Amino acid sequence: MDSHERAMERRQFLKGTLGAASLVALAGCDNLSQSSWFPSILSKAEKLTERAQRAITPANALAKEYGEVDISKVFPANGNTDPGTGEYAEHVAQKFANWTVMVGGLVQTPTSWTLAALKELPSRTQITRHDCVEAGAQSASGPASRSVISYVRFNPCRMPAMQSSIVPMWMKTGCPTTRAWLLPTVSTRKRFWPTS
Amino acid sequence: MASLIREGTGTGQGHGGGQVSELAMRSEPFVLEQQSVPDRLTVTQGSISAASPVSASGTERIYRHRLPIRISHWLNVPFLIILIMSGLQIFNAHPALYWGDRSDRDQPLISIRPIQTDNGEMRGITTVLGYKFDTTGVLGYSNGKRRAFPEWATIPSAKVLAMGRQWHLFFAWALVINGLFFTAYALISRHVTRDLAPTGKDLRDIGKAVKDHIVLRHPTGEEAKRYNVLQKLAYVGVLFVVAPLIVLTGLAMSPTIDTAFPWLLTIFGGRQAARTIHFIACFSFVGFILIHVSQVILTGFFNNMRSMVTGWFVVKRDTGR
């Protein structure tokens, strides 16, 4: 065997080894993604991200508002516009007359609203960017969330979990005001993003 | 003699002593030449070459990479690979790039799409600034699936945006923490000023360095103990330009960060522009990695690997001197 052949053989071996190693690594990543324990470790970073973002974002920071000219010509729905459930079809048929939304969580007065009741609240129109991997600007009108919030009133320290959490004291001072939740009586989305 | 070596390695690494004698015993050519040791120690103390046992056969061993640099380097290998591959997963969720704040689907800078031809066949079409390329098999359509980047290039291999994001943001933290650790150490240990920052002479001789690289002529002797100017520019560029850029453009894609620091979007020209720059910075990393790895192989794979694993690098002495 001359040196050229040996070099070729070595190259072949290296290629094979590298190929096999990357396949094993890829399969390893997929196995980890499907395991029960690994995604929960990965999602720890989301908590860290949330805390870090809360710590550096001023409490009164708001999304940038755009002008009429910035509105996207095409504004595709993210995911889908019809979850395809019987319940949803029923709401459509009734023109959402029996649809309600419940506001609860860290609030003084958990309250539910019908669509008609929401429409009676002071309304505002805003043009903001809607972000996923895509981004588009769209004008949206409806009850200002501040009128809903001022009715239910935040009570940031209502949850016992807040006192016993391992979060350092300095991070707790401004209790997280976003821990209130909105719960529509029907899920308008089957899932956030199509997965296949 | 042994104490001299220990003194030399001690500047960079706490447990160097035992390692040196082991290496020295293992390989015959490294017979120590006593007279050359003392002056080397004074000249090179604290820089990338910390100790220089010189052999009679014309090779010399130098302590090139200190332990924190080596740890940081090897952590970056899985971190970057995972970030690139999970990033391509996220890209696949909407495989087009735009300039400005919005993604107007009719005017992408780059898009990678599966297209069905008239005879029903699927082709992967990559469009760059209006120019179309058939990239079937790799981009747009591969392995019978409509996807921008192929299964072997993404984490997870199947199309799962949510899981791709989790991988990406976890390892983004890991990369940033490692990067801050590296930067702090490199500044305090003066690795940046001594080894990485190009000198005026380096920059004046850049033409010669380019020529040498084109004909694959690699430095020997004293020249091989330090990074050459193109190497310095590549490292400085990746560490202090591309890496901060990719972190900042990544942050600019977060709606919360945009409300906190609206100027981020202003400097990058909009959120979709930030996504485009993030993508370009990613492929700058890919380009750097390809050139870096090929240079590692071309300039003595075993020697380079040993220097990044153990710290010790062997240099051939110039024959003409």
Side-chain angles (χ1 to χ4, degrees):
Chain A
M1 197 193 291
D2 65 14
S3 66
H4 176 70
E5 269 176 55
R6 212 168 294 147
M8 287 302 285
E9 204 165 81
R10 194 163 53 205
R11 205 166 300 161
Q12 227 30 54
F13 170 77
L14 266 175
K15 249 167 117 179
T17 320
L18 280 176
S22 52
L23 275 182
V24 168
L26 258 181
C29 286
D30 282 349
N31 283 342
L32 285 174
S33 297
Q34 279 152 22
S35 72
S36 55
W37 58 276
F38 192 70
S40 69
I41 293 178
L42 288 183
S43 65
K44 293 263 194 301
E46 293 187 342
K47 277 272 158 243
L48 176 61
T49 305
E50 188 188 342
R51 298 237 161 97
Q53 289 190 347
R54 293 288 178 274
I56 60 173
T57 307
N60 56 357
L62 289 172
K64 184 184 168 188
E65 290 192 36
Y66 292 79
E68 295 275 342
V69 288
D70 300 313
I71 293 177
S72 301
K73 287 190 278 293
V74 182
F75 191 77
N78 199 352
N80 59 62
T81 49
D82 182 355
T85 61
E87 195 191 359
Y88 187 78
E90 205 174 304
H91 276 300
V92 172
Q94 297 164 346
K95 298 209 163 87
F96 293 91
N98 295 320
W99 179 88
T100 57
V101 64
M102 171 85 186
V103 180
L106 302 178
V107 297
Q108 208 79 272
T109 330
T111 314
S112 63
W113 274 273
T114 62
L115 189 59
L118 280 177
K119 281 180 174 170
E120 274 166 31
L121 291 170
S123 166
R124 71 161 291 186
T125 301
Q126 62 185 39
I127 300 165
T128 45
R129 217 178 59 235
H130 297 241
D131 293 331
C132 183
V133 276
E134 293 184 80
Q138 183 59 280
S139 160
S141 302
S145 55
R146 87 164 62 95
S147 26
V148 174
I149 290 162
S150 63
Y151 185 86
V152 296
R153 288 203 306 284
F154 272 121
N155 185 354
C157 301
R158 207 175 103 131
M159 304 257 285
M162 286 311 301
Q163 278 95 41
S164 60
S165 84
I166 52 164
V167 185
M169 211 52 211
W170 63 268
M171 286 180 94
K172 263 203 286 190
T173 45
C175 286
T177 49
T178 50
R179 287 283 168 82
W181 42 263
L182 266 112
L183 185 70
T185 51
V186 58
S187 154
T188 52
R189 281 175 181 173
K190 219 187 259 171
R191 52 188 181 222
F192 184 60
W193 193 261
T195 48
S196 84
Chain B
M1 200 156 68
S3 68
L4 270 175
I5 301 165
R6 201 168 298 129
E7 201 185 317
T9 60
T11 56
Q13 193 191 39
H15 63 274
Q19 207 171 15
V20 178
S21 48
E22 189 206 321
L23 272 171
M25 280 188 300
R26 202 194 302 154
S27 30
E28 282 165 65
F30 307 137
V31 180
L32 301 183
E33 218 173 79
Q34 213 167 352
Q35 62 272 32
S36 69
V37 174
D39 65 302
R40 285 261 188 273
L41 278 175
T42 52
V43 173
T44 59
Q45 195 172 32
S47 106
I48 38 173
S49 46
S52 315
V54 180
S55 84
S57 68
T59 60
E60 187 180 340
R61 289 185 318 126
I62 57 167
Y63 187 62
R64 192 177 214 197
H65 303 295
R66 295 193 225 169
L67 186 63
I69 302 289
R70 273 141 51 205
I71 292 174
S72 177
H73 171 272
W74 288 116
L75 284 175
N76 275 337
V77 175
F79 291 177
L80 277 174
I81 291 172
I82 289 170
L83 278 166
I84 291 166
M85 294 176 70
S86 56
L88 296 180
Q89 166 77 244
I90 298 169
F91 175 85
N92 273 4
H94 182 71
L97 297 170
Y98 310 84
W99 202 254
D101 237 342
R102 292 184 321 223
S103 46
D104 288 329
R105 289 187 173 188
D106 52 339
Q107 31 189 237
L109 299 174
I110 292 174
S111 73
I112 304 174
R113 297 284 183 198
I115 307 277
Q116 194 159 25
T117 59
D118 295 335
N119 56 22
E121 196 192 356
M122 291 302 301
R123 310 297 301 173
I125 304 294
T126 302
T127 312
V128 182
L129 302 173
Y131 296 96
K132 289 185 191 309
F133 303 93
D134 190 328
T135 48
T136 311
V138 187
L139 302 177
Y141 192 78
S142 53
N143 197 21
K145 295 195 178 69
R146 303 151 151 264
R147 46 184 299 141
F149 283 95
E151 282 168 322
W152 54 260
T154 66
I155 290 176
S157 53
K159 192 177 171 186
V160 198
L161 172 64
M163 190 53 79
R165 288 183 80 247
Q166 291 216 336
W167 279 89
H168 200 70
L169 296 174
F170 183 94
F171 283 95
W173 275 106
L175 186 84
V176 165
I177 291 165
N178 189 29
L180 292 176
F181 161 78
F182 170 87
T183 307
Y185 180 81
L187 286 173
I188 293 164
S189 69
R190 301 176 66 189
H191 179 47
V192 175
T193 45
R194 284 174 203 263
D195 309 324
L196 293 177
T199 62
K201 188 180 177 304
D202 278 341
L203 294 172
R204 279 193 296 280
D205 294 345
I206 198 163
K208 186 182 168 297
V210 171
K211 233 181 280 167
D212 284 349
H213 272 76
I214 290 170
V215 297
L216 297 180
R217 185 166 51 217
H218 297 109
T220 54
E222 284 303 309
E223 285 295 299
K225 289 182 188 172
R226 45 195 286 285
Y227 296 145
N228 66 65
V229 61
L230 295 183
Q231 219 174 347
K232 286 179 177 180
L233 289 175
Y235 295 155
V236 168
V238 160
L239 291 166
F240 302 114
V241 179
V242 181
L245 191 67
I246 211 160
V247 171
L248 289 175
T249 50
L251 286 171
M253 281 187 274
S254 152
T256 309
I257 296 294
D258 289 348
T259 61
F261 310 105
W263 52 265
L264 260 183
L265 286 187
T266 312
I267 60 170
F268 291 127
R271 183 183 186 260
Q272 290 302 311
R275 184 167 175 258
T276 301
I277 298 169
H278 196 71
F279 188 85
I280 294 169
C282 164
F283 276 85
S284 308
F285 262 118
V286 173
F288 169 80
I289 292 167
L290 291 178
I291 294 172
H292 179 61
V293 171
S294 54
Q295 290 289 56
V296 164
I297 295 168
L298 284 172
T299 60
F301 181 71
F302 181 72
N303 194 22
N304 284 322
M305 287 301 274
R306 180 186 45 213
S307 79
M308 206 29 112
V309 173
T310 67
W312 288 93
F313 186 68
V314 173
V315 176
K316 280 198 184 71
R317 271 197 292 176
D318 281 337
T319 42
R321 296 188 310 138

